Amino acid sequence: MKIIADNVTFRGHNQERNHVYDLFTRTVVSGESHSALMIGPRGSGKTTLINSVLHQVSQEVDLSNDAIIIRLNGLIHHDDKIALKSITAQMQLENAVGDRVFGTFAENLAFLLSCLQSGADRRCKSMLFILEEFDMFCHSGRTQTLLYNLFDITHSQQAPMCVLGVTNRIDVMELLEKRVKSRFSHRHIFIFPHEDQQRAPHEQYLDVMLQLLSMPAMTVLKKKRSRRSTVNSDEKQDTNQEPNSLPPHLCRGMDLQHLNPEFIQDWNLHIKSLAEDSKVINGLEKLCYYTVNEQIFRNVLFQLVSKLSLNQPFIDVADLLAIIDKTVAPNHRVKLIQSLSVLELSLLIAMKHGMDIFDGQPMNFEMVLHRYQKFANANSSTQSVPRPVILKAFEHLQELELIVSATKHNSSKGDDTCSRVQKEYKLYSLAAPLDDINESVLGNNSLPTDLTHWYSNSVA
């Protein structure tokens, strides 16, 4: 659970974290308005930093009643209408809007703000706008109406609002329109991995491994109370406990009392021995040369823990090194084939069987279609697909260069007869190696059983 569920614990960048914390608290507590941009490469911890600050603020103030957190993503909310609909839903004002028709984006947003005003002084709730993939809101083919109106509210102090954009593009300011720039505070927060750390990256990975894989001591778990009045005092006590303890936000709701204390002790000693193993250290150094993204390292640990069983209760160093090698130098063609749809993979298998029958001779679409339909008709569980869809899937395999035109070399010599042939009858050869196809099919447990059985059977 510490590996996959902990999106709050943040390490390093204390100055930048305090900056974000100051912006959020001044907005929620003092009712001020601010805008800022957080810039850093992917995997540097920008979103985790924000989640960590929000978690801390929620412990200090009644964030659920005093503020509204609105998260938008430039990849999802690519249109002003979609963004407004999401803002309305996150503000829980769908009933207030109803069937109203607004002339402009600004009128709609002003109405939403007026709905949040309450009390004799008509004060509005504080709002925290977190704009992930901020650069996508600045795309050249779109108007920046959303950004303009949000920054205009913060600039004119119409309502207590903090707009925090998150992006990995360092040139994002060049994408903003002049009217948007004039209302932006030009406050930038830069997050770069391991910028403020004096230790080597692999040494920090060792610390992360110890923290994520170590199990909590039973003495720490027994100190946890279910009564709300003792939560804060217990959390203060836990900050001085041994590093094997879980963070407070992960301890609640976890039932670990059934674990054997002796096994927990043996496990923690085993994890410490792993951190001192020279092979593990060399493997982590190799991983650091490839990436310093902690999320990728968490995925490595998750795959490692998934291999544990009753017969193998402890981590094998060889498994860790194998997962790191696969992460550092993955077989991209295998991953590409595994990402294909069932229809596209079926056509690839049909072509592979056909070339086995015809001793490696190239095939056209009609020949591949015949073999696929023969398989589909023999298996009632296979869904029937229209011919145009199958042709489109076949063309997609050609675009991915998993199959290549067998007459391509003729056209380069001046023979243009292949250009006059209908696309259904052009000859193609299988470009993907058979070993990669075999690893992709047999190593993918999510494929239909009929498809795996069809691939494994010998072709008569």
Side-chain angles (χ1 to χ4, degrees), residues 326 331 334 338 434-444:
K326 188 176 294 185
N331 193 333
V334 172
Q338 289 180 342
L434 297 181
D435 292 339
D436 291 348
I437 299 177
N438 184 69
E439 182 179 353
S440 303
V441 175
L442 300 182
N444 192 349

Side-chain angles (χ1 to χ4, degrees), residues 399-423:
E399 293 175 358
L400 297 176
E401 297 185 352
L402 294 175
I403 59 175
V404 294
S405 175
T407 56
K408 197 172 184 179
H409 64 281
N410 292 332
S411 60
S412 61
K413 295 179 181 179
D415 186 6
D416 59 347
T417 55
C418 60
S419 61
R420 298 193 295 268
V421 179
Q422 295 182 8
K423 57 184 179 181

